Amino acid sequence: MKLIAFGIAAAMSLAAPAFAYDGTNCRAPGNCWEPKPDYPERVEGSEYDPQHDPAELSKQGESLAAMDNRNAWRVWHAAQTGTFEYDVAKIPGYEEGATPPAQ
């Protein structure tokens, strides 16, 4: 009997943190985000506005376009010769920014 009572007490003490109140007011289950005090309703124009530089944001798009161009040259060279060449500098006629000739 003591063993059962001890087991129940141990299980309840381990489960107690799961039922603890975490201090949030949830609008819906899983939507418990609350802003810190003095956080503005609109971030734009406040001290929390990141103000991203458009030139910095376009860098990834430019690098992806350059990657697609290099891949097009690799595919063109493989179709012409039957061998795949990873280093585009070794492909005859390759110029950075130029598109491969039409097949």
Side-chain angles (χ1 to χ4, degrees):
M1 188 65 168
K2 284 185 178 181
L3 187 59
I4 293 173
F6 179 73
I8 292 173
M12 288 178 65
S13 67
L14 290 175
F19 300 114
Y21 176 67
D22 63 356
T24 59
N25 299 315
C26 300
R27 295 183 196 140
N31 185 9
C32 297
W33 183 84
E34 288 183 344
K36 291 183 177 182
D38 299 329
Y39 194 82
E41 284 293 321
R42 276 188 60 206
V43 175
E44 185 179 351
S46 72
E47 64 179 314
Y48 298 99
D49 189 1
Q51 299 176 358
H52 297 296
D53 182 14
E56 289 291 324
L57 293 176
S58 67
K59 281 184 180 180
Q60 184 174 10
E62 292 169 2
S63 68
L64 288 174
M67 177 188 68
D68 289 339
N69 187 32
R70 289 190 302 272
N71 286 339
W73 275 96
R74 291 177 182 122
V75 169
W76 175 80
H77 183 261
Q80 298 296 316
T81 63
T83 59
F84 180 81
E85 181 62 50
Y86 180 77
D87 188 4
V88 290
K90 295 180 181 177
I91 297 175
Y94 171 76
E95 291 179 24
E96 189 172 335
T99 58
Q103 294 181 3

